[in-house]
Amino acid sequence: MSGRARLTLFAALATLLTSWSLTPLVQSSAWLLQAVLLLAVQSGVGAGARRVPLARSLTVAAQALVSLLVLMFVFLGKGESTGQGPFAYLVTDFGALYAQGAQDVNEFAIPAPMTDGIRLLLLSGVLLIGLLVDTLAVTARTAAAAGLPLLALYSVAAGLSGGGKASWFSFLLAGCGYLLMLLAEGRDRLAQWGRVFGAAPRDRVSASTGLGGGAGGHATAPVRTGRRIGAVALGVALAVPAALPALGGGLLGARGEDGGGSGAGGTISAVNPLVSLQSSLNAQDNRVVLKYRTDSPQQSDQYLRILALDEFNGVKWEASGRALTDVPEQLPTPAGLSAAVRAGATEVRTSVSAADSYTQRYLPMPYPATQVDIGGKWRFEPEGRTLVGDQLAKDKFQNVQGAQYTVRSLLLKPTAQQLSKAPAPDTAVLAEYTKLPDDLPPVVAETARQVTQGAKDNYTRAVRLQDYFAVNGGFRYNTKTASGTGSEAVAKFLAQKEGFCVHFAFSMAAMSRSLGIPARVAVGFTPGEKQADGSVNVSMRDAHAWPELYFEGVGWTRFEPTPRSGITVPDYSRPQAQPAQPSAPAPLPSASTPAPSAAPSQADDCPPDMKKLGECGAAMAAKRPSAGGGPSATTVALWAGAALAVLGLPLLPMLWRSRLRARRLGSGDVLTAWRELGDAAWDVGVPPDGALSPRRAAARVVDLGRLEPDAAAAVHRVAGAVERSLYAPPGAEGSYPDLASDVLLARAGLLSAVTRRSRLRALLLPRSAARLSWAASARWSSATTATSARLAAVRLRLPLRGRG
């Protein structure tokens, strides 16, 4: 096996070994076999193209084209057909399968089921990385740089899977693959120097290099040293992370209450959940802390609330000290909830299982809970409707670690009309929950009045504040922003317009209080990510804070000012809940337009299986043809790629000419360079004349090409070198180090002497490209002549019947 073939094999092997790190992301590993076959085809095409040989760019293009065609063949018929013919399949069906894969990735949690779309994304990603590795390691002969795409593949896989017990094994495989590829390239490079890998006699050692042989053809010193370096580097990479202390980091706190923690990542604990909310949102280790199942018809509202922060002292928001009671069998009716709103609510049952690493003392529950079934020692805080772990011993408290509990709660469905017509709250509620510190900057209240100017009720003011932060105020969500919580931090946030959920929740609550709307801040988790089996995973990055505003008859009501992806505002707070009167008569709705409903939309809670069948609102709307929707992003991208390919066709002659010029001048042969100079003159309109001597031909090029003295001298120097090469005695030709420079100088002079139009034609449509058709005709003529000769020979060998 040649050195390049060995390098091709090990480059594909390195890609496959690194691809093993993707296996934790999906439930099945059957796609790996397909990846092996597809990578083998891709590497085989590359090896064949390099043996032809083709240009590097053409080799990569051939590999990419064949890989795409094989992928299309493998997934033929997997997507829903929307057109006829191969082009329609390429542009619409195949692209739609990619879009379906992206949707599946967003819909399912890890490990995801092996859908056709996810399998297509996995195989495409592996083939892309394999193509990059093959291009860098084999085509460009830079195997060290090929580690970058391998590192990218491993990093993405490890980041998504969150590590785990098998992560060290994945790293070991990826590292071994990379080292084997480097060793293959090293053997190939050293083999070009001579018998470096051959075993010298045991008793014979080179005095200059110190290289000696071993019996039986054992590896010489460079090989053994390379292997030892690779083994030591891999061992250090595996051992050092294990020896370093584990860095805690977790949702709402990273250590136990005593400041300890295990080396496996620590536990999660904090009396005030705001202590490490920002670090939880920025955590790389996105561990699942809660799992739950619910019968809620609207999962987007299934927030798991921990506690409410109802006191703002100018320095921070915190929970005020309140008396705790025993947990009643049936929790009391929520404050401010009227019978009319209670009658329209749905009772929801949620079963929650907490991870062993989650040691928070406050119990995450949907709001408002009506009954909690949990073991252990817990206390109930009636005003905030939260459960907190009781003291078990000195410095030891009940916590949520490993708990399994069931919560019954109300899914309230207030309407915009109920909220806008809510009566004034009780004076005690108004006095307690509209308190603001004396040092609150005036800009907070001034901004609140400007945003809500013209609003006639508290509900409209609340919606305008929410839209100011989430929609039209120009705010950006950024978890890297410094997490201040005091009065100055609110003013700074309003000025810089950048922060994360804490800033949005605190600012809206403070501004609501300045308008006389009772407000507080709730802390907990967003609904989480639904799994294929119907359960829901809540991870560290689902930690969240949001404002709760009080409306008499409804009670404490959630609003969502944070413009964060994956978060939906409540239906009752949407702007269209109270449509403004149009200034001009609006067209009547068509018969197919659904009637508006005050009930919350359930599109966000559609199970994945029903989505795939098109049984939900969003999915059904997507299946209906849209007259004005326009082409999808995938279709536009494919059409753009096809347009670029078509526009790139006119550049092929120029690319061929550039490569031919580089090859001719790089050879150092005088006659080849002379042929290049003749073609350069031909491109600008000076056709070659084979009947002339080199000196006469050079004079003709100088005369017809109207060359300047420097360029003319370069042409004559090249012609003189040609004469010496043809007519000088053997060994008297001499060297010509400036051969390529003189040819390029003459070419530049020829191009500068013609008009812009002629210059563009010489570059884009060179006349010397006619040599391609001449060569093709010559090959065809040679092939037909050889075929005719063979047929004649066969006829001569045939027995002649009927003779004599």
Side-chain angles (χ1 to χ4, degrees), residues 496-515:
Q496 296 182 348
K497 296 190 174 184
E498 187 174 69
F500 62 105
C501 57
V502 168
H503 301 94
F504 289 95
F506 288 173
S507 299
M508 182 171 174
M511 294 170 72
S512 298
R513 287 192 173 191
S514 70
L515 297 173

Side-chain angles (χ1 to χ4, degrees), residues 16 71 165 168 230 310 377 632 650 711 746 776 779:
L16 285 175
L71 269 180
K165 296 181 179 179
W168 69 269
D310 53 8
K377 193 174 181 181
S632 65
R779 291 180 181 178

